[in-house]
Amino acid sequence: MSTLSVPESIFLYEDMHSLILQTQFALLHHDDKIFHQNLTQMTFILQHFFIADSQYVKDMLNTFNELNKINVNPPMPSITDSLMSLMDLQSQAINTK
């Protein structure tokens, strides 16, 4: 790891900030692909441009690893049976009047 110049450091921090915002946006919009791509990019940046022995970096890497296990766009359960039961109950209520 080489020492970065001040402009390079600023660019790196701005890049990380942008990736964090994009990751948040992907999470809110259930975009699993972008969510994981950004986590991978941030992991790469931390591993290559930050002090690996830093507890802060270790914690961030652990957090990114845990987040990478999450599917932010899981399949939704079918509610067809519940809807059919509700429609039957409504139908029965109307017929008993």
Side-chain angles (χ1 to χ4, degrees), residues 7-96:
E8 290 172 327
S9 295
I10 292 170
F11 177 79
L12 189 62
Y13 280 105
E14 289 298 322
D15 192 33
M16 285 289 287
H17 185 252
S18 175
L19 286 168
I20 290 169
L21 292 175
Q22 290 174 34
T23 304
Q24 290 173 332
F25 187 83
L27 176 62
L28 291 171
H29 292 275
H30 307 283
D31 190 332
D32 198 59
K33 179 180 176 185
I34 298 298
F35 181 79
H36 292 289
Q37 284 177 346
N38 287 350
L39 288 171
T40 300
Q41 284 182 288
M42 289 187 292
T43 298
F44 177 85
I45 290 171
L46 284 175
Q47 289 172 334
H48 290 86
F49 298 103
F50 288 81
I51 300 169
D53 294 337
S54 163
Q55 189 60 46
Y56 175 75
V57 171
K58 288 178 183 178
D59 290 345
M60 292 282 291
L61 290 171
N62 286 335
T63 299
F64 292 162
N65 186 41
E66 289 299 313
L67 289 172
N68 254 322
K69 297 176 185 176
I70 298 171
N71 178 358
V72 299
N73 192 17
M76 300 306 282
S78 173
I79 60 168
T80 304
D81 293 338
S82 298
L83 182 58
M84 295 302 288
S85 295
L86 180 60
M87 290 171 64
D88 287 343
L89 286 172
Q90 286 178 331
S91 177
Q92 290 173 6
I94 291 171
N95 291 334
T96 58

